[in-house]
Amino acid sequence: MATNNRSSRIAHCHLQGQSLDPYQLLKAKSERLSWNRLSDVEIYVDKQAVIDWFSMLRDYSEATVKAIVVEGILDSQFHKITFILTLVQSADFEAVTSKDAYQQLYDFVCRTPAGVQDWIDDVDFQMSRDVLALLSRNR
């Protein structure tokens, strides 16, 4: 039953009464970023890569998934140490050491699909990876 609950959490999350479909979230972000409406998320984002990327978060709560993907990745908050410290103090990370939590976040950021990385400022993305690399001792 726990496995079924986990898979349904990623496939069909509820945030403030609204369904969260990871691919639709990225599609909407792509459309908002398009200046000329010629952007087609099917061309720029590999749907299987996005699904595989989100599957890394299947054991996390909806709030943590939102914080990691929307705030951390898309809104480039991972280069802010206070954001990371607040995130790793959540209930989802209480069973792991802080170094392991930083490592999990670092792995997720490093595996961000290329199509998603294109939406993020390169400097912000690199700073996010660098901060998480230092915290997880990957440098």
Side-chain angles (χ1 to χ4, degrees):
M1 176 152 179
T3 305
N4 188 18
N5 185 22
R6 286 185 197 139
S7 62
S8 66
R9 198 176 345 174
I10 288 299
H12 192 329
C13 294
H14 292 283
L15 296 175
Q16 297 178 355
Q18 296 182 340
S19 293
L20 172 64
D21 176 352
Y23 189 68
Q24 289 301 326
L25 179 138
L26 294 174
K27 185 174 180 177
K29 181 74 171 180
S30 172
E31 289 171 358
R32 282 196 310 270
L33 292 174
S34 174
W35 289 14
N36 58 11
R37 300 294 291 164
L38 296 176
S39 174
D40 182 1
V41 76
E42 297 291 337
I43 295 170
Y44 297 110
V45 177
D46 177 1
K47 189 172 187 175
Q48 186 60 50
V50 170
I51 291 168
D52 292 343
W53 183 55
F54 266 93
S55 73
M56 295 175 67
L57 300 176
R58 70 178 159 261
D59 294 327
Y60 298 98
S61 69
E62 295 142 17
T64 300
V65 170
K66 180 182 179 281
I68 291 171
V69 175
V70 177
E71 296 169 30
I73 300 285
L74 298 177
D75 291 340
S76 302
Q77 296 296 307
F78 274 127
H79 67 276
K80 296 179 180 175
I81 207 77
T82 53
F83 174 78
I84 297 168
L85 293 174
T86 301
L87 184 61
V88 298
Q89 291 176 3
S90 71
D92 287 316
F93 293 104
E94 67 185 15
V96 298
T97 66
S98 57
K99 183 181 183 298
D100 289 338
Y102 302 139
Q103 181 67 47
Q104 291 170 5
L105 293 172
Y106 175 76
D107 290 342
F108 185 76
V109 169
C110 287
R111 293 182 183 157
T112 302
V116 175
Q117 285 184 33
D118 291 343
W119 301 334
I120 305 164
D121 180 69
D122 290 337
V123 173
D124 284 342
F125 186 77
Q126 187 61 44
M127 283 182 10
S128 293
R129 274 196 355 209
D130 290 348
V131 169
L132 288 167
L134 289 169
L135 290 171
S136 63
R137 297 189 179 110
N138 278 307
R139 278 207 170 191

